Amino acid sequence: MDKQLQRELTKWLKSQSKLAKPWLMLSVGMGFLSGLLLVAQAGLLAYILQQLIIEHTDKYQLIAHFAGLIAVVALRAACSWGREVAGYRCGEHIRLHIRQLIIQRLHQLGPAFIKGRPAGSWASLILEQVEEMQDFFARYIPQMALSVLIPVVILVAVFPFNWAAGLIFLITAPLVPLFMALVGMGAADASRRNFTAMQRLSGHFYDRLQGLATLRLFNRADAEAENLHDAADTLRKRTMEVLRMAFLSSAVLEFFTAISIALVAVYFGFSFIGELDFGHYGLPITLFTGFFILLLAPEFYQPLRDLGTYYHAKAQAIGAAESIVTFLNTQADDMSQGEQPLPSPETIRISLTDVKVLSPQGQVLAGPLSFDIDAKQQVALVGPSGAGKTSLLNALLGFLPYEGSIKVNGAELREIDPAQWRQAISWVGQNPLLIHGSIRDNITLGNPLATNEHIRQVADKAFASEFIQHLERGFDHPVGDRSAGLSVGQAQRLAVARALLQNGSFWLLDEPTASLDANSEHLVQQSLNQATQGQTTLMISHRLDQLTSMDKVLVLENGQIVQQGHFSQISREGLLADMLSHTDKRDLDA
């Protein structure tokens, strides 16, 4: 990873920590207090041993010191508990904020952008990669402060007793972070490669799991299992690479820490046998001094060792942040993010002038397109597969960028508040998406203003009550993911009820009767005909026999309008006539 990019990602991560500053300060404060108590604990223990071994003091005279030692140990345990809780809350608060940023960005970019990547990669981004930042905020950031504060406290306690031991601490301390940085330079790259492999495997597995039935029908399950095995093996190698870096880092830190502690022990050993005579300010080195400093020696390096242990968490966080920051900085050209209120939302009229619909990457999907939809006009959009019909609908919904002009009631679409614009739209697609919940939940979609009476009315109008009343729990009947437990026709009638509850003044219908049996198609079409009376409507239709009732028909081919007008005017020649002839031929063959 480029060093400049690594610095920028680290800076971004640290900027997020400001959101949980109180928890962060509490975590550092608890750790610092624990460091102070550590010095007191070492002092009490060294004093007790000095009195018992050297001074031969009766142990009953030291009961107060024993009680103080127990109290200090208990307080240190409480501080450690408080530090863990504060660190967890800090990480939790920041993770929730980052997830919110990602979801808001997904909401801004829209479903057309989301479909460009496997669903598993989004799950990995929102769940796994954000989760990997927990230890960075909960442990690494507080430990950075403690790795400076606690050694300083210990140096302040040691130097008044023995300047030679303090000098050893002072000289050897920089070795730990120095070699930690040298060993950890490649950890961020290893973590980034690991996250990339994890995203690839997650997306691959999730998509293949969705299409498992199709893969088995076409006898491709074994081939896809082999592909999954290769992706899993790649992830295994990347994970082992990260673990190898982590173990190497820990081994190096332990090695240099052990050497530093050994130097202090050797110094006091030779001092006690009279081979060394310096560092004691003219006073003999006592058992208290030697034992007190030797107790503090491991603790002097412990914050630096912990920082080295959590350095792996930093590498993981940087690897995860690269994908997250890249996504958050993703630009979708001219996406509808305006703030202008929608003029006269009770009636919708739309005018397109030289509109080119673009993909999120800027490729032209359809256009140039120019046509008008007058208020309360019923317009049908037809054309062969791939003509650009769905792309046009996505542009009207604000899910795809466009060039040219789309005016709604005289206001440019990209300048209108997208939430207000979508509130004015009642949309029914060919593949209704039902969420995990009850039938009531799927009709209201969390609308707090929907009453039970209103829900029953829209269900009646959509002919959904016909099957709901036969369910044991009625509107509380549970619906599984992807409409589990309901037929396609029943799910589509719930989608129509949902659109009726929206009560929009502009109806967008994307082949709403596709893949339905004759009875369900009749009911859905009847409910839609009633709902769209007197409302501006744009419908993509695969049933050419429905076009006679429309005020205008738009015929698309290769992303451009090749015919437009009333059905009776344009059905005698051109592409529409060819489509009608093919339809008639299929009907005769059937």
Side-chain angles (χ1 to χ4, degrees):
M1 183 185 295
D2 180 72
K3 291 184 179 179
Q4 179 63 29
L5 176 60
Q6 190 167 343
R7 283 194 293 268
E8 291 176 357
L9 293 175
T10 304
K11 184 179 179 180
W12 181 83
L13 286 169
K14 290 181 178 178
S15 69
Q16 303 304 310
S17 65
K18 297 177 182 177
L19 301 168
K21 191 173 182 180
W23 289 113
L24 186 61
M25 295 302 294
L26 181 60
S27 178
V28 173
M30 287 290 183
F32 181 69
L33 179 59
S34 179
L36 294 176
L37 292 171
L38 171 66
V39 175
Q41 177 182 317
L44 283 170
L45 190 56
Y47 178 79
I48 291 172
L49 291 176
Q50 170 77 18
Q51 294 298 313
L52 291 176
I53 297 173
I54 305 299
E55 304 296 337
H56 302 289
T57 304
D58 185 65
K59 58 182 175 292
Y60 293 105
Q61 296 180 14
L62 301 173
I63 290 178
H65 295 84
F66 280 111
L69 181 61
I70 294 173
V72 169
V73 171
L75 285 173
R76 283 195 67 202
C79 288
S80 297
W81 174 81
R83 180 187 169 191
E84 287 294 322
V85 171
Y88 177 81
R89 295 301 181 192
C90 173
E92 180 185 43
H93 187 82
I94 297 171
R95 283 185 292 117
L96 289 173
H97 173 72
I98 293 175
R99 283 199 177 101
Q100 187 177 12
L101 290 178
I102 295 173
I103 292 173
Q104 287 175 348
R105 192 67 182 132
L106 285 172
H107 178 70
Q108 293 171 356
L109 294 173
F113 182 89
I114 296 172
K115 287 183 177 180
R117 290 171 60 179
S121 66
W122 294 120
S124 176
L125 182 71
I126 296 174
L127 299 176
E128 296 167 354
Q129 296 194 36
V130 174
E131 201 67 28
E132 290 292 343
M133 296 182 175
Q134 170 67 21
D135 281 349
F136 176 80
F137 296 111
R139 301 179 184 274
Y140 181 79
I141 293 291
Q143 194 62 38
M144 286 183 64
L146 294 175
S147 63
V148 175
L149 294 175
I150 293 180
V152 168
V153 169
I154 293 176
L155 285 175
V156 170
V158 168
F159 263 108
F161 291 96
N162 191 285
W163 61 264
L167 195 61
I168 293 174
F169 287 162
L170 198 59
I171 293 174
T172 57
L175 292 176
V176 177
L178 173 63
F179 284 93
M180 177 184 69
L182 292 176
V183 173
M185 285 178 65
D189 282 337
S191 294
R192 178 178 55 83
R193 290 191 293 269
N194 184 53
F195 283 125
T196 301
M198 186 181 298
Q199 270 192 325
R200 187 180 300 115
L201 178 61
S202 297
H204 195 86
F205 176 74
Y206 185 80
D207 289 343
R208 273 35 177 198
L209 190 63
Q210 283 183 310
L212 184 59
T214 304
L215 291 173
R216 295 183 66 181
L217 285 172
F218 285 90
N219 197 27
R220 297 297 300 168
D222 292 339
E224 288 303 325
E226 186 65 27
N227 292 335
L228 281 172
H229 179 271
D230 292 341
D233 189 60
T234 300
L235 178 62
R236 177 188 64 81
K237 292 178 181 178
R238 298 289 182 261
T239 303
M240 293 307 297
E241 184 181 0
V242 173
L243 291 176
R244 184 168 62 250
M245 297 294 295
F247 285 129
L248 178 61
S249 176
S250 298
V252 171
L253 295 180
E254 292 295 334
F255 175 74
F256 284 101
T257 299
I259 289 179
S260 303
I261 297 173
L263 285 175
V264 178
V266 168
Y267 163 74
F268 279 108
F270 279 98
S271 296
F272 282 132
I273 63 176
E275 295 296 328
L276 295 178
D277 188 24
F278 62 89
H280 47 67
Y281 301 109
L283 299 175
I285 297 177
T286 64
L287 177 64
F288 170 81
T289 301
F291 199 72
F292 174 66
I293 295 177
L294 282 174
L295 283 175
L296 291 178
E299 302 299 336
F300 177 82
Y301 298 102
Q302 189 60 46
L304 297 171
R305 293 162 66 189
D306 290 341
L307 184 64
T309 302
Y310 301 146
Y311 190 83
H312 178 64
K314 177 188 175 183
Q316 281 186 312
I318 290 176
E322 183 181 18
S323 298
I324 293 174
V325 172
T326 300
F327 168 69
L328 293 177
N329 292 336
T330 298
Q331 297 295 325
D333 297 336
D334 298 325
M335 292 296 287
S336 177
Q337 296 298 326
E339 299 179 353
Q340 179 180 337
L342 174 65
S344 305
E346 63 278 357
T347 305
I348 300 297
R349 62 183 185 280
I350 301 173
S351 177
L352 279 73
T353 305
D354 297 328
V355 171
K356 291 183 180 179
V357 182
L358 308 176
S359 70
Q361 294 74 31
Q363 298 175 339
V364 178
L365 301 177
L369 301 170
S370 298
F371 63 87
D372 295 326
I373 302 177
D374 296 331
K376 301 182 179 181
Q377 190 175 36
Q378 307 262 319
V379 178
L381 190 63
V382 299
S385 297
K389 303 185 297 294
T390 302
S391 298
L392 175 58
L393 257 63
N394 279 324
L396 290 174
L397 288 166
F399 295 152
L400 283 177
Y402 66 90
E403 295 178 353
S405 175
I406 300 179
K407 290 190 175 181
V408 180
N409 293 350
E412 188 63 39
L413 178 60
R414 64 171 63 91
E415 298 175 0
I416 297 174
D417 180 2
Q420 189 176 1
W421 165 232
R422 289 166 193 159
Q423 187 65 35
I425 298 173
S426 286
W427 177 82
V428 181
Q430 54 183 309
N431 297 310
L433 177 63
L434 300 188
I435 60 174
H436 185 84
S438 66
I439 287 180
R440 177 182 284 101
D441 295 334
N442 276 279
I443 293 177
T444 62
L445 287 182
N447 186 347
L449 301 179
T451 63
N452 289 335
E453 182 61 29
H454 201 181
I455 294 171
R456 290 190 183 90
Q457 289 177 0
V458 295
D460 291 340
K461 292 179 181 179
F463 298 99
S465 298
E466 179 184 280
F467 71 87
I468 294 175
Q469 63 184 350
H470 296 297
L471 299 174
E472 182 178 352
R473 299 176 61 181
F475 285 93
D476 294 322
H477 179 78
V479 179
D481 292 329
R482 299 185 178 275
S483 310
L486 297 177
S487 69
V488 177
Q490 291 171 338
Q492 192 67 300
R493 278 182 266 177
L494 290 183
V496 174
R498 177 191 296 168
L500 287 167
L501 186 66
Q502 178 80 356
N503 194 28
S505 50
F506 179 43
W507 282 72
L508 271 177
L509 310 176
D510 185 2
E511 302 194 53
T513 58
S515 305
L516 298 182
D517 59 79
N519 180 58
S520 296
E521 180 180 3
H522 172 73
L523 293 176
V524 169
Q525 192 60 52
Q526 184 177 347
S527 62
L528 288 174
N529 289 339
Q530 295 174 359
T532 57
Q533 287 296 320
Q535 301 287 357
T536 307
T537 306
L538 178 62
M539 178 179 69
I540 295 178
S541 178
H542 70 291
R543 292 292 304 270
L544 301 181
D545 56 350
Q546 299 173 350
L547 303 182
T548 55
S549 60
M550 308 302 289
D551 298 322
K552 181 192 289 187
V553 177
L554 303 174
V555 184
L556 260 67
E557 184 180 25
N558 297 325
Q560 296 188 349
I561 295 177
V562 294
Q563 290 179 283
Q564 62 175 308
H566 193 270
F567 178 79
S568 60
Q569 299 171 341
I570 62 174
S571 59
R572 297 184 179 87
E573 58 183 7
L575 179 60
L576 184 57
D578 293 339
M579 294 172 66
L580 288 170
S581 64
H582 289 308
T583 301
D584 294 340
K585 186 177 184 301
R586 284 198 300 269
D587 291 341
L588 289 173
D589 292 340

